[in-house]
Amino acid sequence: MARAGLTPERLVRAGAELADEVGFDQVTVSALARRFDVKVASLYSHVKSSQDLRTGIALLALEEMADLAAEALAGRAGKDALLAFADVYRDYARAHPGRYAAARLRLDAQTAAGSAGVRHAQMTRAILRGYDLPEPDQTHAVRMLGSVFHGYVDLELAGGFSHSAPDSQQSWARILDALDALLRNWPAPT
């Protein structure tokens, strides 16, 4: 019989909290069992494997970030939307580093198609419509924004900017200004 109070949702949330505390790579069914002071076997009626648990955490993180981004983007366009969207990723990563890492977990095609990752892509494209980019330039810009946001956040979380001036917030603002300028003056294909 399953232990009272344990549900897949509760285990995923507890796994997400654990990821934020110890790192996403350290989240396993065994680690979660220790957290609940239960035997590993008692969790297998709720999650199939550590990979199933990690996928659940990734889906939760994608959903949380999509909800935050949608709220931040409401009523915004152009540069204001770009800044709000970028700040959601950075702020979420700082508040929930393990979940943020989970959100980048490679999902199988079917799981990805049903995830909030689709909403992220739709919101990114909605922001880019304000810059009037045609295809395939819009796809290039989506990839560029994702690379810059995630790259900067990863370096910042790893302490890469903590040993020198100016403050990383100043660099973040300058980078976002540069992205806005680039998007407004997108180069013609060569």
Side-chain angles (χ1 to χ4, degrees):
M1 177 177 194
R3 186 171 176 110
L6 294 182
T7 65
E9 295 79 19
R10 185 168 179 218
L11 293 174
V12 166
R13 288 212 172 270
E17 291 169 11
L18 183 61
D20 288 339
E21 292 168 17
V22 301
F24 183 60
D25 291 340
Q26 302 303 313
V27 176
T28 63
V29 173
S30 297
L32 200 55
R34 285 190 296 277
R35 175 166 278 219
F36 282 101
D37 195 27
V38 297
K39 294 190 184 311
V40 172
S42 66
L43 298 186
Y44 284 119
S45 61
H46 304 290
V47 292
K48 296 176 199 163
S49 63
S50 289
Q51 185 60 33
D52 185 45
L53 173 63
R54 293 165 55 83
T55 298
I57 296 166
L59 295 173
L60 172 67
L62 287 168
E63 189 73 34
E64 288 175 343
M65 283 195 299
D67 289 347
L68 291 168
E71 185 177 322
L73 289 174
R76 297 177 192 256
K79 184 178 180 181
D80 288 340
L82 176 68
L83 299 178
F85 192 67
D87 284 343
V88 163
Y89 282 94
R90 185 173 181 231
D91 293 346
Y92 188 85
R94 292 165 130 186
H96 302 289
R99 293 178 205 208
Y100 181 77
R104 294 187 322 261
L105 180 71
R106 186 180 185 128
L107 302 172
D108 65 72
Q110 182 178 358
T111 303
S115 77
V118 174
R119 287 176 54 206
H120 291 267
Q122 291 168 338
M123 286 185 277
T124 305
R125 288 186 182 275
I127 291 166
L128 292 173
R129 280 194 296 275
Y131 291 97
D132 200 29
L133 295 179
E135 279 299 351
D137 291 332
Q138 193 176 100
T139 297
H140 297 314
V142 166
R143 292 172 180 167
M144 177 188 68
L145 292 177
S147 298
V148 172
F149 297 165
H150 295 301
Y152 192 90
V153 167
D154 283 347
L155 289 169
E156 187 175 44
L157 287 176
F161 308 133
S162 61
H163 304 295
S164 63
D167 180 71
S168 66
Q169 176 58 38
Q170 291 175 18
S171 296
W172 179 248
R174 297 282 304 266
I175 288 167
L176 296 178
D177 285 344
L179 285 173
D180 173 63
L182 176 62
L183 291 169
R184 281 188 281 112
N185 301 293
W186 192 262
T190 56

